[in-house]
Amino acid sequence: MDPIVRLSRNISAIGLICGVLVACGSPAASSSPGGSGSGGAPANQLTVVTTTTVFADMVKQVGGSFVNVTSLVPKSGDVHTFEPKPADVTKVATAKLLVMNGLGLDDWLEKTITNASATGTPLVKLGVDLPGVELLPGEEAGTQNPHLWMDVKYGELYVDRIATALKSTDPTHAAQYDTGAAAYKQRLESLDASVRTSIATIPPANRKLVVFHDAFPYYAREYGITIVGVAVEAPGQDPSAGDTAKLIQAIRAAGVKAIFSENQFPAKLVEQLASETGTTVVADLYDDALGDPPVTSYEAVITWDTDQLVKALK
Ligand SMILES: [Zn+2]
């Protein structure tokens, strides 16, 4: 059996067990009094501010009509290089709960919190010290690749942490948050299964990914895709000529069929790689940010990306 497939099954089992443990585990957020909405939200809605549209959607799926959620980074925006504006400071100041990923993805929020004098507002870091996460080879806890949610099993762990934080901040609606989280996690279980079924239709030799930035290592590990390379080391930094030459070599050596761009980044570099290697560009995978319909939810991100991979690599 392919070792990648075997590994991914083991991780899948671990993810499932720890998902249960986390649901029974310790709270991720400190509690605060109050919880009624502000800033123009209907009465009784909890005002939640997240760094990205993906996390905003997750909060909305759990909290439903009891939350009023705003993302600081807009759809199709780049969270890595985002610079908060005065209006963002105001949004943070009015929040009753703040949600970020941590792990270097959106650490700019912490400065915004200080600027907004909101250090007393409950803050949830979805990816930090998340029980049940298995590090990638060579990684250390606290400094790992931040894109954990791209593995749906880890997305479910985010949902647990969101539910715990909502209940802690707004205990009046604890039962509703539990119900919302349970229904959402059930859908994510089905989504995870459907990703496996879809990827299984790609011939194993074609399950290779080249993408603009390094957002897919957990997705790739869980669903049995090999990352051949990424166009940039970090968003906002242009690769050196040497890095690009190495990547072109790797693309040729691996016989990669297609290169993927991402909705929040310019496609120019990826197009250049494709033309030099005789591959095609598949526009656009989604990861850090939601986009236009139909990619307007976390579930849609995973479904869309999986469909694009299957179409391009089958
Ligand atoms: Zn990213």
Side-chain angles (χ1 to χ4, degrees):
M1 185 188 287
D2 184 335
I4 294 169
V5 172
R6 209 164 47 227
L7 177 67
S8 95
R9 286 202 180 135
N10 288 340
I11 291 161
S12 162
I14 291 163
L16 202 60
I17 293 160
C18 296
V20 173
L21 288 176
V22 168
C24 315
S26 58
S30 58
S31 64
S32 82
S36 61
S38 60
N44 297 324
Q45 275 190 325
L46 183 74
T47 302
V48 184
V49 171
T50 67
T51 50
T52 77
T53 44
V54 173
F55 308 147
D57 173 60
M58 287 178 156
V59 172
K60 188 76 195 161
Q61 297 302 330
V62 176
S65 60
F66 300 100
V67 293
N68 173 39
V69 197
T70 308
S71 167
L72 296 175
V73 181
K75 70 173 184 176
S76 303
D78 176 19
V79 62
H80 294 273
T81 56
F82 184 73
E83 289 178 13
K85 291 175 279 301
D88 298 312
V89 177
T90 307
K91 284 176 197 161
V92 167
T94 57
K96 299 288 187 228
L97 175 66
L98 295 161
V99 180
M100 67 187 285
N101 188 78
L103 304 174
L105 183 87
D106 47 9
D107 291 352
W108 45 260
L109 179 65
E110 307 209 50
K111 195 174 166 216
T112 314
I113 290 170
T114 305
N115 291 342
S117 303
T119 46
T121 306
L123 167 67
V124 187
K125 297 184 181 183
L126 296 174
V128 175
D129 296 331
L130 192 56
V133 167
E134 191 165 305
L135 298 177
L136 298 164
E139 284 193 328
E140 282 174 37
T143 59
Q144 72 258 44
N145 184 300
H147 305 87
L148 295 167
W149 68 92
M150 293 303 293
D151 171 348
V152 179
K153 292 290 178 200
Y154 292 169
E156 289 182 47
L157 300 180
Y158 277 31
V159 172
D160 288 331
R161 198 163 255 194
I162 287 167
T164 301
L166 288 174
K167 288 193 290 181
S168 171
T169 314
D170 178 23
T172 314
H173 299 115
Q176 287 90 335
Y177 295 137
D178 274 334
T179 305
Y184 189 29
K185 283 181 70 180
Q186 206 161 31
R187 296 208 308 277
L188 295 181
E189 280 289 306
S190 308
L191 176 64
D192 178 74
S194 82
V195 173
R196 286 167 209 284
T197 307
S198 298
I199 297 294
T201 67
I202 303 172
N206 290 357
R207 293 176 199 166
K208 293 169 185 163
L209 181 61
V210 176
V211 69
F212 185 83
H213 93 299
D214 199 11
F216 287 82
Y218 302 105
Y219 179 102
R221 180 177 67 180
E222 185 64 18
Y223 303 117
I225 306 273
T226 300
I227 308 272
V228 172
V230 292
V232 296
E233 229 5 77
Q237 287 174 28
D238 286 331
S240 70
D243 289 342
T244 303
K246 250 186 249 167
L247 178 57
I248 286 170
Q249 227 169 19
I251 291 168
R252 287 189 178 133
V256 170
K257 286 189 71 174
I259 301 178
F260 296 85
S261 58
E262 292 167 66
N263 73 316
Q264 75 273 30
F265 297 115
K268 198 174 153 223
L269 183 58
V270 172
E271 281 162 2
Q272 186 194 330
L273 285 170
S275 82
E276 291 199 29
T277 54
T279 53
T280 53
V281 174
V282 179
D284 277 329
L285 293 184
Y286 290 76
D287 36 56
D288 297 349
L290 305 181
D292 290 322
V295 195
T296 55
S297 70
Y298 166 62
E299 291 159 274
V301 164
I302 300 294
T303 302
W304 174 273
D305 287 355
T306 303
D307 287 351
Q308 302 313 307
L309 288 172
V310 169
K311 267 191 242 166
L313 304 180
K314 210 168 167 176

